[in-house]
Amino acid sequence: APLAIIGIDSIGTILKFNKAAEDLSGYTFEETRHKNIKTLMPEYIATNHDGYLEAYRRTGKKTVIDSQREVPLRHRSGTEFPINIFVGEAKKVGAQSFFLGYLEDMREQKRQSRQQFIDTEVQQLSLTPIVTIDTLGQITAANHATSQETGYRNEELIGQNIKMLMQESIAVNHDRYLANYLQTRKRTIIGDRKSVV
C-alpha cells in the first residue's frame, strides 16, 4: 500500500506495520512489534493516548476513532514531522476490537504551502511590479505594485493575457515566444532581462 498502515489492538499494542510505515517511521516491524503505538509519538501526545483508548473501551465515545487529523510523528532518529492520520476500527475473530491507522507524510505539502506563503508575501510587499503567468501567457497573479503601476485592478488582470500590458509591436510576438519555448525549450525571452514599453 502506498500509505503507511499501522494496526493496533484495543490497548495500543502494535500488531501490523507495513513497508510504507517502516519507510515513514524509520523503524522495522520487528522493532515495533508488540510495543505500544506511543513509541511513534512525541511525549506530549503520547501521555494522553492510552486515556483515549480506555475511555473508548468504557464509554464507546469516539475521540480519535473514525477521525482524520494532523499530528506529529516521532521518527526513529528522534526528529518530529507532521503526518495526516485517519484511524478506523475493525473486528478480529471473537469480536475483539482492533484499529488501523492510515498515515500520510505532510512534510512536502507543508514545505510547499510555506514557500507559497513566503512567495506571496514577498510579491505583495515588493515595490516592484511582479506578474506571474501560465504557459498560455495568462496572468495568474499580480502584486499590489502592478496595480499601482498599470492602473488595472487585480481582478481586471487575473485571467487576461500578459499582452494587455505590452505595446502592440511587442505583444504580437509574445505568444509565439512562449509556444516556441514549450516546443523546443530554446530560451528567447525566458531567463533574460529586457527593456520594453
Side-chain angles (χ1 to χ4, degrees):
L3 282 179
I5 302 174
I6 299 176
I8 64 172
D9 64 16
S10 60
I11 60 172
T13 305
I14 296 174
L15 305 175
K16 300 290 183 182
F17 208 78
N18 73 346
K19 179 63 168 63
E22 292 184 331
D23 294 340
L24 183 66
S25 69
Y27 289 97
T28 66
F29 175 46
E30 289 305 316
E31 289 176 302
T32 60
R33 190 176 187 180
H34 304 313
K35 290 186 177 180
N36 193 289
I37 188 66
K38 293 186 295 185
T39 302
L40 305 179
M41 301 176 187
E43 185 63 29
Y44 59 93
I45 300 291
T47 52
N48 295 317
H49 192 264
D50 286 348
Y52 294 144
L53 288 176
E54 183 183 356
Y56 177 63
R57 289 195 305 270
R58 283 189 295 103
T59 67
K61 183 178 180 181
K62 296 181 178 181
T63 306
V64 295
I65 311 301
D66 290 341
S67 66
Q68 182 171 303
R69 59 205 173 101
E70 184 180 306
V71 297
L73 179 134
R74 187 178 67 183
H75 190 268
R76 190 177 191 277
S77 64
T79 59
E80 298 175 15
F81 56 88
I83 60 169
N84 189 46
I85 182 170
F86 174 82
V87 179
E89 183 178 9
K91 296 289 182 182
K92 288 177 68 175
V93 176
Q96 181 185 354
S97 292
F98 76 102
F99 308 95
L100 290 175
Y102 301 85
L103 289 62
E104 179 185 13
D105 191 342
M106 298 293 287
R107 283 175 291 186
E108 181 60 21
Q109 183 174 329
K110 289 287 186 181
R111 188 196 68 76
Q112 290 180 359
S113 295
R114 184 166 56 250
Q115 188 59 51
Q116 185 178 18
F117 174 78
I118 291 171
D119 291 346
T120 300
E121 289 300 303
V122 168
Q123 285 192 17
Q124 292 304 322
L125 293 174
S126 175
L127 299 178
T128 301
I130 300 174
V131 177
T132 304
I133 64 172
D134 62 18
T135 55
L136 298 177
Q138 294 180 328
I139 298 172
T140 58
N143 67 350
H144 182 65
T146 301
S147 296
Q148 290 185 317
E149 184 73 22
T150 64
Y152 289 104
R153 298 190 308 276
N154 195 267
E155 56 267 28
E156 294 177 301
L157 293 169
I158 303 301
Q160 300 299 316
N161 193 292
I162 187 68
K163 293 185 297 186
M164 69 181 291
L165 300 179
M166 301 176 186
Q167 186 178 348
E168 181 62 28
S169 59
I170 302 294
V172 292
N173 293 315
H174 192 265
D175 286 346
R176 181 167 54 83
Y177 291 146
L178 281 179
N180 182 65
Y181 173 71
L182 292 173
Q183 290 177 354
T184 68
R185 295 300 172 179
K186 181 179 179 181
R187 299 185 176 193
T188 307
I189 56 175
I190 295 172
D192 194 9
R193 183 189 296 267
K194 294 183 181 294
S195 178
V196 295
V197 179

